[in-house]
Amino acid sequence: MLRAAWQIAPSNQMAEQLQRLRDASPELIRTALLDEHRRWVGTPYVLGGEGFQGIDCSALVQRVFNEAFALPLPRTTDDQVLEGQRIDRDSLRAGDLVFFRPPGPYNHVGIYVGGGRFLHASSSQGVIISRLNNVYWQRYYWQARRPTTLTELAQRARQYRLSRAG
């Protein structure tokens, strides 16, 4: 039996909306992350810190994901590295977690924002965006993880933006 065009249109419209969301996902996520960077930039690094007076790398990641995406993540780097799916460095997309094993007792985590850069709480410079191909970070790169699908992250970013606007 043939369906009338008006019966098919809602499905087509929904498919088109989903495709537009998928296409916009990286930019929505990147924008949300850069908004969070503007809020946190210059906040000093403090081991165990969790706020604007001082924050460490894993607390920054936890706060950014909670505040920009309403997505809870564990508090520590050791627990965050168990989240989601491990991905290849060549597959990095905005919103992926990047992990490092620098010298010393602690691992380090940041959030990939695209363009070869990541947002993190640097022990020497506070909250900044750094290049992944920096000699230091390249040397100690460990792995990357995608805590949730990029489509879900973009939907969460969009919902958050709408809630703040209204």
Side-chain angles (χ1 to χ4, degrees), residues 84-159:
Q85 174 186 2
R86 190 172 183 159
I87 57 168
D88 292 332
R89 186 173 175 159
D90 295 340
S91 301
L92 281 171
R93 300 291 180 262
D96 291 337
L97 304 181
V98 287
F99 294 90
F100 305 86
R101 285 186 165 158
Y106 302 107
N107 294 324
H108 189 68
V109 62
I111 308 166
Y112 189 72
V113 297
R117 298 173 185 265
F118 68 105
L119 169 63
H120 65 118
S122 161
S123 60
S124 62
Q125 298 176 2
V127 176
I128 60 169
I129 291 178
S130 295
R131 290 184 174 275
L132 266 178
N133 67 0
N134 167 288
V135 172
Y136 180 85
W137 296 116
Q138 201 166 2
R139 178 182 301 154
Y140 297 113
Y141 180 84
W142 173 22
Q143 66 171 289
R145 299 194 72 89
R146 185 163 293 151
T148 188
T149 67
L150 298 177
T151 301
E152 180 184 349
L153 206 56
Q155 288 170 338
R156 288 172 170 273
R158 188 168 149 223
Q159 288 170 350

Side-chain angles (χ1 to χ4, degrees), residues 13-63:
Q13 287 174 347
M14 186 179 298
E16 288 173 11
Q17 288 175 347
L18 285 172
Q19 186 59 46
R20 278 196 302 273
L21 182 59
R22 279 189 205 101
D23 293 344
S25 292
E27 195 52 40
L28 281 169
I29 295 166
R30 181 179 166 82
T31 299
L33 292 171
L34 294 177
D35 287 348
E36 287 298 310
H37 172 253
R38 281 188 281 281
R39 289 182 59 227
W40 288 96
V41 67
T43 300
Y45 178 91
V46 173
L47 182 61
E50 298 183 344
F52 289 104
Q53 299 302 313
I55 195 160
D56 66 23
C57 63
S58 59
L60 177 68
V61 167
Q62 183 187 48
R63 293 280 306 262

